[in-house]
Amino acid sequence: MKSKKVLWSSLCAGILLSAAAENLLPNSGLEEWVPERAPEKNLAKIQDGLVPKGWHVGESRRAGEEPWAETARDQQIRHGGESSLKLVNHNAERYHRLAIWDLPVKSEGYYRVSAWVRGEDVRFDQSKRNRGVVLMFSSGPKANFWGNRHSESTVLPLSGTFDWTEISHVYHVPQPDDQLMLTLSLQQASGTLWIDDLKLEEATEADFVKQEEAERTSKFAPTVSRIHYGPAGRQILSLYQAKTEGPAPVLVYIHGGGWLGGNGVKECEQGAKDGMIERMNRNGITVAAINYRLTPLPDPVYDAARAIQFLRYHAKEYNLDKERFLATGFSAGATTSLWLAVHDDLADPKSEDPVARESTRLLGAFAMGAQTTIDPMQIREWKNEEALKHQMICRSAGFRSNDEMFKNYESKKDLYHEFSAVNHVSKDDPLVLLSNGRPLDYPSDGIHHAIFGYQFKLAADRAGAPCDIFLHEKDRHLVSEPRFRNGDEYMIKTLTGRDPR
């Protein structure tokens, strides 16, 4: 077998950096090896007691368990130089990795990660996510890296036995991150992986966009792709415009991910929302997929509001009906959608920025699995302690842990109150539709528990605000019958005034 470059999108697109680009990784060829610093704490079975200088190797074995992974310096099989790193994983339910952290990077910067890998009998369950040869790019603020990092995993199209193959991917470092951790692993995969000649080099936004465009697998191409509604790298949106004679109503899709991750623009580009786009376009509705800055608040929610204002300001250019906007999403995307639907208008008519003068109000929201409160005290009052195990709650206010959150709750009490949609319900709100799939007595639904939707419905009823909810069939008797059969019917009729076609 000959050495090759892995045939995936970033390389198919021919995105190459200048040969003069600086490699920011220490010991990038894995040539320098040193004794383990604390062998009694390292659970990986490392031959000869040596590790590559500046790097960390390890596997997911817990103390007391029998080892299933091996790590070795290989001076026989190598891509370049005198040695490579050999990872062997015998347990396809766990991972074995090479990692490096404490790398300084530029906030809002773009970086290309590349490496040469070789595999032997790499096997994994094809039905599982994030399994196989996995590259992970994790960034965070140096002052609180482990408590507030953001991670993006790239599953490489490699399996079985393959000769030396170059992998490469471009990543973006969001605000306010300035520190990086890289890992390359056999994750939920067995077999042997050799790693050699790694690189971390600065790239450009143009490199990143070309890569993302090359990775599109959706049968729908955006008619307006990845335009910035703000200066940050994540402040982008794409439009899937309906063919209409007059201005089209707009469905704004806001992705989930706990305000800690996710990528709605890419979801649409890779086909995850093809059904939604097809149904909306067929009914004369333009779909806007937006990305936003991540935690802490108010950035994720205010960015979504800004995207709506941006679209309204450019309504004539994009053939949009400024008066007919509705938002939808799951989890954090649902939380933001619902908040925008019931919150007072954020428009600032006196602003020097013409975009900020536009309205943020919506005709409604279809919110699936929304966190209708993010206030930890209110979550406890609703007897949903399980939800507090999710980092969305503490990290949305900038806390590193629940302990820190509860000790300093008073300092963020107003923020938690402000960004809990249940606190903004009023009788002049538009009709919103919530959906919660599991029963109210389901014990471990946590951050998506039906109690969030049910409590919001009760608050809306008390306020005289229009609200429907789809609850599990066991609980439907607790609420009024919804006006619509499903979310599509609600969104289409609300936006167009017509039955779906």
Side-chain angles (χ1 to χ4, degrees):
M1 292 181 290
K2 296 181 179 179
S3 298
K4 59 183 178 180
K5 289 187 176 181
V6 67
L7 297 179
W8 58 326
S9 58
S10 61
L11 295 175
C12 290
I15 307 165
L16 298 174
L17 288 177
S18 166
E22 179 185 2
N23 188 354
L24 304 175
L25 291 177
N27 192 20
S28 59
L30 306 177
E31 298 298 304
E32 297 181 74
W33 290 70
V34 295
E36 294 176 72
R37 285 171 290 182
E40 72 283 356
K41 295 181 180 180
N42 195 325
L43 298 178
K45 186 179 178 182
I46 299 175
Q47 295 179 12
D48 304 323
L50 295 177
V51 294
K53 184 178 180 181
W55 295 80
H56 307 264
V57 291
E59 36 97 330
S60 55
R61 181 166 61 92
R62 302 178 182 92
E65 291 183 322
E66 290 297 320
W68 57 74
E70 301 171 32
T71 307
R73 179 186 189 184
D74 197 324
Q75 295 179 294
Q76 302 299 316
I77 299 176
R78 60 192 189 278
H79 176 261
E82 299 298 323
S83 63
S84 68
L85 174 72
K86 179 182 178 181
L87 299 179
V88 183
N89 193 3
H90 302 293
N91 189 334
E93 298 300 317
R94 300 298 179 90
Y95 71 76
H96 192 26
R97 72 179 184 182
L98 171 71
I100 189 168
W101 48 79
D102 295 333
L103 293 171
V105 288
K106 298 175 183 177
S107 182
E108 289 296 333
Y110 293 86
Y111 292 86
R112 179 186 301 283
V113 180
S114 59
W116 285 88
V117 295
R118 173 175 171 153
E120 183 176 287
D121 200 26
V122 174
R123 298 173 181 267
F124 48 84
D125 185 342
Q126 297 281 353
S127 67
K128 293 182 179 179
R129 297 180 60 197
N130 291 340
R131 75 291 173 270
V133 182
V134 178
L135 178 64
M136 182 177 289
F137 186 95
S138 302
S139 63
K142 185 175 182 179
N144 180 23
F145 179 80
W146 296 106
N148 200 23
R149 67 188 186 276
H150 307 113
S151 298
E152 181 176 350
S153 295
T154 302
V155 180
L156 307 176
L158 298 168
S159 62
T161 297
F162 51 90
D163 204 353
W164 286 110
T165 302
E166 186 178 31
I167 61 172
S168 179
H169 202 73
V170 180
Y171 298 92
H172 169 245
V173 178
Q175 295 178 354
D177 299 356
D178 58 2
Q179 183 172 311
L180 177 64
M181 177 176 74
L182 294 176
T183 64
L184 184 55
S185 65
L186 279 173
Q187 182 167 301
Q188 296 188 88
S190 61
T192 303
L193 184 71
W194 287 267
I195 304 172
D196 203 356
D197 294 334
L198 300 102
K199 289 183 181 179
L200 174 68
E201 303 165 308
E202 288 194 50
T204 66
E205 184 174 8
D207 294 330
F208 182 76
V209 171
K210 287 178 183 177
Q211 169 184 274
E212 300 298 284
E213 289 175 345
E215 289 183 347
R216 287 179 186 160
T217 56
S218 170
K219 61 183 179 181
F220 298 100
T223 48
V224 179
S225 179
R226 292 178 169 265
I227 55 173
H228 276 272
Y229 63 85
R234 288 190 60 91
Q235 290 176 311
I236 60 170
L237 60 85
S238 291
L239 289 178
Y240 296 80
Q241 292 170 291
K243 295 179 180 179
T244 56
E245 292 183 3
V250 182
L251 176 64
V252 180
Y253 170 64
I254 306 174
H255 69 81
W259 296 327
L260 300 168
N263 190 324
V265 170
K266 194 166 186 175
E267 283 180 29
C268 291
E269 290 175 347
Q270 296 195 336
K273 297 299 171 182
D274 276 2
M276 178 185 73
I277 293 168
E278 190 278 327
R279 292 190 297 273
M280 294 302 123
N281 282 180
R282 177 171 17 109
N283 284 276
I285 298 167
T286 287
V287 175
I290 72 168
N291 285 356
Y292 48 84
R293 289 173 294 170
L294 304 174
T295 53
L297 290 166
D299 288 353
V301 175
Y302 279 2
D303 276 7
R306 174 76 183 187
I308 291 168
Q309 292 174 308
F310 176 89
L311 289 169
R312 281 194 162 117
Y313 180 72
H314 293 279
K316 187 174 182 180
E317 178 182 353
Y318 300 133
N319 194 35
L320 308 177
D321 186 340
K322 293 178 66 171
E323 305 303 317
R324 308 197 71 78
F325 274 63
L326 186 144
T328 190
F330 172 71
S331 192
T335 301
T336 299
S337 298
L338 187 62
W339 188 91
L340 289 167
V342 300
H343 196 274
D344 292 341
D345 200 334
L346 297 179
D348 180 1
K350 296 181 180 180
S351 175
E352 295 182 359
D353 178 4
V355 173
R357 296 197 290 264
E358 296 287 346
S359 174
T360 61
R361 289 291 277 169
L362 301 170
L363 293 181
F366 178 39
M368 298 170 282
Q371 294 78 44
T372 60
T373 181
I374 60 163
D375 188 327
M377 295 302 187
Q378 197 165 30
I379 290 172
R380 280 191 162 170
E381 288 176 11
W382 292 357
K383 296 180 171 50
N384 188 14
E385 198 75 20
E386 194 74 20
L388 297 176
K389 295 179 181 179
H390 197 287
Q391 286 193 319
M392 176 184 185
I393 304 303
C394 67
R395 287 179 58 181
S396 64
F399 295 121
R400 289 173 290 187
S401 65
N402 282 355
D403 286 345
E404 183 179 3
M405 175 178 67
F406 283 114
K407 286 178 183 177
N408 299 280
Y409 171 76
E410 289 297 323
S411 68
K412 298 294 184 178
K413 180 179 179 179
D414 291 345
L415 182 139
Y416 278 126
H417 184 276
E418 168 62 16
F419 289 99
S420 295
V422 73
N423 297 323
H424 298 285
V425 178
S426 59
K427 62 182 179 181
D428 62 344
D429 289 339
L431 172 62
V432 295
L433 177 62
L434 282 64
S435 179
N436 295 93
R438 290 197 174 104
L440 283 163
D441 61 2
Y442 192 80
S444 58
D445 222 11
I447 201 69
H448 301 129
H449 199 283
I451 195 66
F452 285 114
Y454 180 59
Q455 287 288 353
F456 185 92
K457 170 62 174 171
L458 295 180
D461 288 350
R462 289 193 297 268
C467 173
D468 284 348
I469 184 170
F470 295 133
L471 286 177
H472 189 272
E473 59 183 10
K474 289 177 59 177
D475 305 313
R476 288 176 189 166
H477 67 284
L478 298 174
V479 296
S480 56
E481 187 71 19
R483 298 165 176 82
F484 302 91
R485 293 170 296 175
N486 52 56
D488 278 357
E489 184 184 42
Y490 161 75
M491 293 188 290
I492 292 167
K493 290 191 75 170
T494 301
L495 284 169
T496 68
R498 302 186 302 267
D499 289 328
R501 59 174 188 262

